[in-house]
Amino acid sequence: MQTIGHLINGAVITEGAASLPVYNPSTGETTTAVDIASPSTVEQAVLKAKAAYPAWRDTPPIRRARIMQKFVQLLEENADTICDLIGQEHGKIRHDAMGELQRGIENVEYACGIPNLLKGEHTRNVGPGIDAWSEFQPLGVVAGITPFNFPVMVPLWMYPIAIACGNCFVLKPSERDPSSTLFVAQLLQEAGLPAGVMNVVNGDKATVNALLDHPDISAVSFVGSTPVAESIYARASANGKRCQALGGAKNHAIVLPDADLDNAVSQLLGAAFGSSGERCMALSVVTVVGDQTADALIEKLQAKMVELRVGAYSDNNNDFGPVITAAHRNRVNTLITSAETQGAKVVVDGRNPDVEGHNEGFYVGATLIDAVQPTMESYQQEIFGPVLQVVRVASMSQAMQLINDHEYGNGTCIFTRDGEAARYFSDHIEVGMVGINVPLPVPVAYHSFGGWKRSFFGDLSAYGPDGVRFYTRRKTITQRWPSDAVRENVSFSMPVMK
Ligand code: NAD
């Protein structure tokens, strides 16, 4: 069986000592194995990145940008291969994988603007004959640790901008679907990146810890579940590293009685069940104001959900594919059952769907649960599956209170025709990314992405302008070239301009 290796100093290597199985979730088969990097492989990756750093930091930004431009071209030319790899190991159907890739490419396009993004700030004559400027210098070797649900897009949130800023990178992808991530990193190499600037080490918790404890790593970007994000943030910070750690979510939509219900239904279907609900911005709870609105919404959802197709990634007629593993499918089913046991009503039951020809795959069908209460386990936990829960409320303020009280604060959305209500909502909701009649308000590449509360640990969000700030540090230089005109006498007081 083929083993997926590591990208070190421009070459793919495999150790062959220890590995983990990689599945095709659409069929349930084990298709490949991924090598687990030993401590010495992690050491090699960091050493090679460190060795590549001095020349790379001094490479003019316009040259770095040209490599990113070539990278965009290669990503577009290889889109079919990339999406096949995503589908085989993640289970994402083709048009969803294409969307993931396109969103990833937009981050590389943003990185192409690096000469402009690094221009800095300059003030002439802060004092007589004195000029001052701030510039943004790279950090050195930085690391990224990424989740399974966007094996291409989330790594592309990190390393294009980090590398364009002049850093060298070590990436630890998810061990569940590492092939597309490795393939894309090789395309960057092919685009002309010097060896050692970009490295990939595969593995699990031990590999991550080796990176977190390595003295030559200056900063860590993490995207994954909240418990891991919190522990990574604590460990990286304790080791003196800059860290941004993006965690899990429980994204609520609010439907007000004046909303365009047909539009809300279409948007909710895509945002709740697209990618099997395995998106950190998936809408998994809909809080509906008033029983009449809730009854109407559920009726319309139910009618549309009958038409939804769950199945293998390779069939583009399917609306979404399997979840990532058998263990995860069982967890999703258990949470649906727990809601039922605790008094909620399963209106559409997606447990154990019949997927013809693929019954060994890890499938959960679209599920709708009504009468969910905030005390239920299924409400409190991130399910990360194709499950939409309805919480009935009497008012918009009650809906907002629920959202504000929830431990997560990644994304949210309101469906309404009332501009005043929408404005109040976006002003007062304690969530980092807000949609108004937009169900998946994932910021575009030239904004930045970050949740609030326990969905995010750190200060600077991912990608966009915050990405540039995260992967650089400011240096401010104050300069005078003494001349007869501006030569000053000795002074022991704080320099000021009078
Ligand atoms: P995960 O936390 O299990 O794994 C993420 C990464 O951390 C992987 O590379 C994994 O190998 C590593 N890891 C796992 N356990 C570890 C440990 N104990 N110590 C050190 N490293 C460890 O997450 P996942 O299941 O791959 O991804 C799904 C989660 O990611 C969901 O909670 C989802 O909401 C979240 N997510 C968040 C965002 C965001 O932007 N906020 C984006 C995508 C996914």
Side-chain angles (χ1 to χ4, degrees), residues 9 22 30 36 141 151 171 217 223 287 338 350 498:
N9 206 32
V22 177
T30 310
I36 300 179
V141 182
L171 176 69
I217 293 208
V223 176
T287 45
S338 80
K498 287 202 179 124

Side-chain angles (χ1 to χ4, degrees), residues 145-150 154 157 172-176 203-205 208-209 212 222-226 228-229 231-232 246-249 279-280 382 384 410 449 455:
I145 298 141
T146 51
F148 80 83
N149 65 325
F150 285 105
V154 168
W157 286 359
K172 207 303 277 174
S174 171
E175 63 276 33
R176 298 191 189 139
D204 54 13
K205 182 181 173 178
V208 171
N209 287 341
L212 296 177
F222 172 85
V223 176
S225 58
T226 286
V228 182
S231 71
I232 283 192
L246 284 70
R279 292 180 181 139
C280 67
E382 181 182 40
F384 224 52
N410 219 37
F449 182 111
S455 292

Side-chain angles (χ1 to χ4, degrees), residues 416-436:
T416 181
R417 289 185 168 105
D418 179 343
E420 189 186 353
R423 189 168 190 274
Y424 182 85
F425 172 75
S426 65
D427 261 5
H428 294 92
I429 206 73
E430 307 249 330
V431 172
M433 291 169 284
V434 177
I436 295 165

Side-chain angles (χ1 to χ4, degrees), residues 416-482:
T416 181
R417 289 185 168 105
D418 179 343
E420 189 186 353
R423 189 168 190 274
Y424 182 85
F425 172 75
S426 65
D427 261 5
H428 294 92
I429 206 73
E430 307 249 330
V431 172
M433 291 169 284
V434 177
I436 295 165
N437 298 314
V438 171
L440 290 176
V442 178
V444 289
Y446 38 96
H447 285 257
S448 295
F449 182 111
W452 285 14
K453 298 186 279 185
R454 288 176 58 74
S455 292
F456 180 64
F457 303 86
D459 304 302
L460 290 163
S461 306
Y463 67 76
D466 270 18
V468 177
R469 290 290 174 271
F470 182 79
Y471 293 118
T472 55
R473 50 189 168 174
R474 177 189 293 265
K475 182 177 279 182
T476 305
I477 298 118
T478 307
Q479 169 182 276
R480 167 166 62 194
W481 296 104

Side-chain angles (χ1 to χ4, degrees), residues 260-411:
D260 174 342
L261 274 197
D262 290 320
N263 178 59
V265 165
S266 308
Q267 305 299 317
L268 281 166
L269 290 173
F273 306 127
S275 205
S276 308
E278 290 176 325
R279 292 180 181 139
C280 67
M281 291 291 278
L283 284 178
S284 51
V285 178
V286 54
T287 45
V288 191
V289 178
D291 277 333
Q292 220 182 332
T293 316
D295 291 342
L297 185 84
I298 287 171
E299 197 184 320
K300 284 173 184 286
L301 279 168
Q302 225 178 329
K304 292 278 181 195
M305 284 173 68
V306 176
E307 296 164 15
L308 293 183
R309 284 189 54 167
V310 58
Y313 81 92
S314 46
D315 181 350
N316 225 357
N317 291 320
N318 291 327
D319 294 299
F320 59 93
V323 297
I324 189 72
T325 56
H328 187 50
R329 175 199 55 204
N330 298 344
R331 179 179 175 273
V332 174
N333 287 342
T334 303
L335 281 165
I336 298 170
T337 305
S338 80
E340 196 172 34
T341 315
Q342 290 171 14
K345 184 177 167 204
V346 178
V347 180
V348 181
D349 191 349
R351 284 169 290 189
N352 308 312
D354 183 20
V355 179
E356 211 185 317
H358 293 296
N359 275 326
E360 303 304 311
F362 311 140
Y363 296 101
V364 183
T367 299
L368 182 65
I369 312 179
D370 187 14
V372 171
Q373 297 296 324
T375 47
M376 294 176 182
E377 209 182 343
S378 66
Y379 176 80
Q380 290 164 357
Q381 292 188 23
E382 181 182 40
I383 300 179
F384 224 52
V387 182
L388 180 61
Q389 303 189 85
V390 179
V391 180
R392 293 171 178 243
V393 291
S395 64
M396 173 170 148
S397 58
Q398 201 188 337
M400 286 179 63
Q401 194 63 52
L402 278 176
I403 299 173
N404 288 348
D405 287 347
H406 206 285
E407 65 168 322
Y408 295 120
N410 219 37

